[in-house]
Amino acid sequence: MKAAIISDVHANLEALLVVLKDIKKRRLKSIFCLGDMVGYGANPNECIDLCLKESKLTVAGNHDWAAIDKTDIASFNPVAAEAIKWTKEKLSSDGAKKLKGLELAQQVDNLLLVHATPLNPMKWGYLLSLEDFEKEFNHFDQKICFIGHSHVPVAVYQDDNGYCDLVRDNPFPIVAKRRYIVNVGSVGQPRDMDPRASYAIYDGNNNSIEIIRLDYNVPLAQQKILVEGLPEVLADRLLAGR
Ligand code: ZN
């Protein structure tokens, strides 16, 4: 199986369209979406529709749940909370219905798909340090777990002795006797100081994974955010990639 894994689109239609075009160009037939289709950006309904239409499997992110009151926004920072309030007003009844139907985790072949963490996806914890990743390997059985949530693409492996480390190559081979947690980065709001949209390609035929980065029309996405009266910082951060 060969598949594209996308995450954290965050209502950024410009970034999503570029990513989907690239996936089509590469003739990847399967897309899996790791959630946070909405929040922050100006096109929530369009992004929900496109993600669900194009993806074979989609899991819920914390912003998806917040937009339909399944997650309390008390834990959100003020800017994220304001964006969710705007999203709730903008969300179509069809969009809300689609978000309500999402599961927290999905499995396909030897892959686990989850937005935040395998251990407790509903807690929406962040895996940031190597230690954070290391603890999670005991809480799933699959060979590879794909996650999003932090908006920083990174891959960590654990060998069969329990030793964990960062994967430093891109693309990188999927090695026997190693398991992986791969954060695919964010389509619509990257935070690794690189403003380009991020997604991953899983190639189960050739045993490799690659993180892809793509330029998109950042000024247009920024302009839409400002026109909608969303917080200005949400436009600024797209260009900064943080
Ligand atoms: Zn997110």
Side-chain angles (χ1 to χ4, degrees):
M1 178 180 63
K2 234 178 142 174
I5 300 105
I6 65 173
S7 190
D8 296 273
V9 171
H10 284 293
N12 185 338
L13 184 62
E14 286 62 46
L16 178 60
L17 288 171
V18 166
V19 165
L20 292 176
K21 196 177 168 189
D22 190 68
I23 291 168
K24 287 222 166 87
K25 197 179 80 189
R26 294 171 190 270
R27 300 176 194 281
L28 298 167
K29 297 218 167 44
S30 297
I31 301 176
F32 306 134
C33 175
L34 305 182
D36 272 8
M37 293 176 277
V38 303
Y40 301 133
N43 289 104
N45 294 309
E46 295 83 350
C47 289
I48 293 170
D49 285 350
L50 258 181
C51 285
L52 290 179
K53 187 172 123 245
E54 300 292 336
S55 305
K56 283 198 170 157
L57 292 169
T58 302
V59 296
N62 51 323
H63 289 250
D64 302 320
W65 268 25
I68 50 168
D69 291 321
K70 276 179 95 170
T71 282
D72 190 358
I73 57 167
S75 62
F76 279 43
N77 69 51
V79 167
E82 197 179 329
I84 284 298
K85 277 183 200 147
W86 177 90
T87 302
K88 281 163 80 167
E89 282 166 22
K90 199 87 177 174
L91 199 61
S92 67
S93 55
D94 180 58
K97 202 173 136 194
K98 285 174 177 162
L99 293 183
K100 280 177 192 154
L102 300 175
E103 306 283 335
L104 281 171
Q106 294 275 3
Q107 187 186 335
V108 54
D109 291 353
N110 213 0
L111 314 178
L112 177 67
L113 311 171
V114 62
H115 181 70
T117 66
L119 169 59
N120 202 336
M122 214 193 292
K123 275 196 169 169
W124 312 115
Y126 288 92
L127 306 186
L128 300 171
S129 67
L130 190 58
E131 290 72 29
D132 294 337
F133 278 87
E134 196 168 359
K135 287 177 197 149
E136 296 291 327
F137 278 100
N138 293 330
H139 301 288
F140 66 99
D141 301 319
Q142 293 80 0
K143 171 96 173 166
I144 303 165
C145 173
F146 285 102
I147 63 169
H149 197 41
S150 74
H151 300 204
V152 175
V154 63
V156 173
Y157 71 87
Q158 186 183 54
D159 69 18
D160 58 356
N161 294 316
Y163 174 79
C164 279
D165 204 354
L166 288 174
V167 177
R168 290 167 208 283
D169 299 326
N170 184 42
F172 65 89
I174 301 164
V175 179
K177 297 186 178 180
R178 283 185 182 183
R179 294 167 66 232
Y180 298 85
I181 300 174
V182 181
N183 191 316
V184 303
S186 169
V187 170
Q189 195 201 74
R191 294 181 192 161
D192 60 339
M193 307 304 287
D194 179 346
R196 293 176 301 164
S198 177
Y199 79 97
I201 296 174
Y202 164 76
D203 185 345
N205 307 330
N206 295 308
N207 283 315
S208 70
I209 292 173
E210 181 173 9
I211 300 290
I212 307 292
R213 302 304 291 260
L214 298 166
D215 287 312
Y216 73 95
N217 193 339
V218 174
L220 181 55
Q222 289 180 306
Q223 192 194 339
K224 286 182 173 181
I225 284 170
L226 298 176
V227 165
E228 293 292 347
L230 283 156
E232 214 176 308
V233 63
L234 294 175
D236 295 343
R237 70 188 306 178
L238 293 184
L239 190 63
R242 64 179 169 84

